Structures are given as C-alpha cells and as structure tokens.
C-alpha cells in the first residue's frame, strides 16, 4: 500500500487550545506525524510526498465540499485579524452565533465566530498552508486509488472530519475524508465513508447529509456525554435524497473493544447494504484506552481487527488519518491497523 504525507502540514502547529475554560497544550501538532510515521515504518511502509501542496484542481475539489466564503476566510483571516487593535497572535473567536445566526458578518471577529465553532482551531499565519498540505495528502491517496491501486493511506494532520461546509472545529480545518470521497466520485457512482474515530464525524455528516451518492457512517462515543455533543445521534439518518444514507452508532463512554467491534460489524452491515463501489475510511486511533482524549477503552488488538474487517470489504479503499493523539501507544496502534488491513 502506498502511503502519503506532505511535510508542509507542519505549518499548522497551534501550541494550545481551550480545555474546560483553561489554555492547555494542543495534542494536535507535528509530533503526531512523527509518531504515525514510526508506526508505518515498523510494518514496512514508507511515505511518498504528493507532487503539490496546493493546485487549481485541489481548490476546485475543495469547493465541492466547502463554501467559497469559508475557504476565503481560512486563506485571508489571519492578515485581517492582525490589523485589529490589540489582536492576539492566533485567530480565536470570542463570540458564536449560538442558536443559529441570521446575518453573515463582514467584521473579522464575527467571521471567526461564524466559522470556528469551538476553541480547538486557533489559526496562525501559516495554518491555511498546513491545512492545504493535509488536504493535498488526502487527494494524492484518493488519486492513487482512482488510478487503480486497491488501497492507499493518507497521513493527514490537521485531521478533517469535524470540518463542515463552512466551519472548523475539533482541530479540523478542511474535510479530508470528504475530499477523498469527492475524488473517488469522479469514477465511482456510489462511495461510502466509514468513520471509526472516537468522535462523531459531524463535519462529514453535514457535507453529505442530503446526498445519496455518498453514504456516511460513524461509530463513536455517545455525544450526549462527549464531544462534539450536538451531532451524532442514532436518529440522524440523512434528509431529502440522503435519507437513510447516514448511520450513527453512539457508544456509551468507556465502552471496551468488544462493544466497539460489535458496533463496527453493525456499521459494516449497513455499509454493505448501500452497495458502494469504493470506500473511504476515516481512521481514528483515539478510541485507545490511553489516548489523551480518552472516551473509549479499546486495546491495540482491536485495531488489528478493524483492519481485517475493512480489508474484507474487498473494495477500492482510501484510508484517511483522523484522530489519535500522542502517547507511547500511538505508533503501535497504527501499526496494528496496518497489520490487520494487510492480512
């Protein structure tokens, strides 16, 4: 399997995020890429660099999943923010349109609140460059599969599955899984995105919620008690043309590997009934019991089984790295998944 990573992803490296009202060291930084690279190397995988970190083709594809004003915001907000008096070094909102806003603001402070839905996505002068490199990595893996490879892996950070059509959240700026599905749709009529991250992929769900050509499914810690809180219920099934093409399986916080794998089997059954022609795996490794954002209690062995279950689909597959944060186990967790997927 060919694995991709663009080093410009390191240009997005926020030092802190807001946790329970306190600034805390951000677990989503370049060290994640180093640990994940070590995990790949331990099972014989090397990384290939995409040809470009930005291109007109990438921009056009991103416009299919994100609104033009959101992409413009990400690209221009830092300069406009720094022109404000007494502005902080990082772009961070101090107001949000809770309950739904009726007016799109012109002012940078208002736009920051509109597009950054939580306090986990502070933006620096180079954050957009890093996010584009992450997206380009996902694009390269999807193109590899589009060109005939049975599978490919994209080491993406910042991750993407919390990024919706025009909002960032949960460390995510651009939706890499959604981008990969968009690339696959250039050949395949029906594509499925299966999300095995600890957290619900609310951004991915929002992008495809009213579409029937991309099925979305997620297993995750129950949002009644866990981030992202406001999305991810079992009653969210899609709407319009997308009705019955969105499946959520919320799990009780603290669930073990057996519960996690049982839910995966149910999710795969739903996926197979959709009869997709290709699959995107939103691969989160943060379900591990020792992950710093711990919400589930999964052992490393479970990731071997996840890999086995997904390769058994025998479909063209793009694997997009989502969560999984720095611990002594992160490298081994990715290696375990790769071992299972190769079996």
């Amino acid at each position: 399997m060919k694995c991709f990573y663009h080093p410009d992803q390191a240009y997005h490296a926020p030092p802190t995020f807001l946790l329970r009202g306190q600034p805390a060291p951000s677990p989503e930084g370049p060290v994640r890429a180093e640990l994940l690279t070590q995990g790949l190397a331990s099972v014989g995988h090397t990384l290939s660099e995409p040809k470009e970190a930005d291109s007109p083709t990438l921009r056009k594809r991103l416009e299919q999943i994100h609104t033009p004003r959101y992409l413009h915001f990400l690209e221009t907000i830092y300069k406009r923010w720094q022109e404000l008096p007494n502005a902080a070094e990082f772009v961070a909102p101090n107001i949000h349109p809770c309950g739904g806003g009726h007016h799109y603001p012109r002012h940078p402070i208002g736009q920051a609140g509109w597009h950054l839905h939580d306090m986990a996505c502070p933006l620096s002068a180079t954050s957009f460059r890093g996010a584009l490199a992450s997206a380009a990595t996902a694009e390269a893996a999807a193109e590899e599969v589009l060109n005939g490879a049975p599978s490919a892996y994209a080491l993406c950070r910042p991750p993407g599955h919390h990024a919706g059509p025009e909002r960032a959240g949960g460390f995510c700026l651009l939706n890499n899984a959604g981008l990969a599905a968009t690339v696959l749709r250039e050949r395949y009529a029906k594509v499925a995105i299966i999300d095995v991250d600890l957290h619900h992929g609310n951004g991915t769900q929002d992008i495809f919620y009213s579409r029937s050509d991309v099925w979305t499914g997620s297993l995750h810690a129950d949002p009644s008690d866990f981030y992202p809180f406001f999305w991810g219920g079992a009653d969210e099934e899609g709407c319009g043309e997308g009705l019955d093409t969105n499946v959520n399986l919320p799990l009780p916080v603290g669930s073990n590997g057996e519960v996690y794998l049982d839910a995966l089997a149910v999710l795969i059954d739903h996926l197979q009934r959709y009869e997709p022609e290709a699959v995107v795996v939103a691969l989160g490794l943060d379900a591990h019991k020792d992950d710093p954002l711990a919400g589930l209690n999964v052992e490393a062995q479970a990731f071997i089984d996840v890999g086995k279950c997904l390769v058994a689909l025998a479909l063209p597959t793009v694997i997009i790295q989502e969560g999984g944060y720095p611990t002594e186990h992160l490298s081994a967790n990715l290696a375990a998944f790769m071992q299972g997927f190769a079996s």
Side-chain angles (χ1 to χ4, degrees), residues 155-168:
L155 199 173
C156 294
R157 66 140 308 269
H161 71 155
H162 296 306
E166 63 170 19
R167 69 163 178 262

Side-chain angles (χ1 to χ4, degrees), residues 303-316:
F303 296 118
I304 296 177
D305 296 329
V306 171
K308 289 179 177 179
C309 290
L310 293 174
V311 75
L313 292 170
L315 291 168

Side-chain angles (χ1 to χ4, degrees), residues 7 14 16 20 85 100 137 266 307 313:
T16 62
R20 301 184 185 95
T137 300
V266 173
L313 292 170

Side-chain angles (χ1 to χ4, degrees), residues 27-223:
E28 205 303 289
V31 68
R32 291 186 64 225
E34 297 172 13
L35 294 170
L36 293 166
T37 299
Q38 292 170 16
L40 293 172
S42 71
V43 289
H45 289 296
T46 57
L47 288 169
S48 298
E49 184 176 326
K51 293 179 182 178
E52 297 179 281
D54 188 11
S55 71
T57 300
L58 175 62
R59 296 290 185 120
K60 289 179 181 178
R61 285 165 166 166
L62 286 171
E63 287 171 359
Q64 295 182 56
I65 59 172
H66 295 295
T67 64
R69 69 184 182 185
Y70 176 60
L71 295 172
H72 178 75
F73 165 82
L74 289 178
E75 187 166 18
T76 66
I77 186 58
Y78 187 80
K79 181 178 183 297
R80 293 185 291 130
W81 185 266
Q82 291 304 311
E83 292 170 352
L84 298 173
N86 302 314
E89 179 182 357
F90 289 86
V91 178
N94 55 265
I95 186 169
H96 295 279
C98 296
H102 299 285
H103 173 76
Y104 184 73
R106 183 167 49 240
H107 196 282
I109 292 175
Q111 289 184 2
W114 186 281
H115 292 298
L116 305 177
H117 84 241
D118 62 26
M119 299 296 287
C121 296
L123 302 176
S124 73
T126 56
S127 285
F128 187 59
R129 180 175 176 180
L132 280 175
S134 184
T137 300
E139 180 185 47
E143 288 182 339
E144 178 76 4
V145 171
L146 202 66
N147 292 330
S151 60
Y153 167 82
L155 199 173
C156 294
R157 66 140 308 269
H161 71 155
H162 296 306
E166 63 170 19
R167 69 163 178 262
F171 310 131
C172 302
L173 303 179
L174 297 171
N175 196 297
N176 300 314
L179 174 64
T182 299
V183 175
L184 292 177
R185 277 287 290 110
E186 293 170 11
R187 171 173 295 181
Y188 301 106
K190 296 172 69 177
V191 175
I193 302 175
I194 183 167
D195 191 325
V196 298
D197 191 276
L198 165 66
H199 306 91
H200 176 247
N202 57 301
T204 309
Q205 172 176 292
D206 285 354
I207 289 169
F208 299 107
Y209 203 63
S210 61
R211 290 174 51 174
S212 61
D213 59 327
V214 178
W215 177 95
T216 50
S218 177
L219 62 87
H220 48 268
D222 191 335

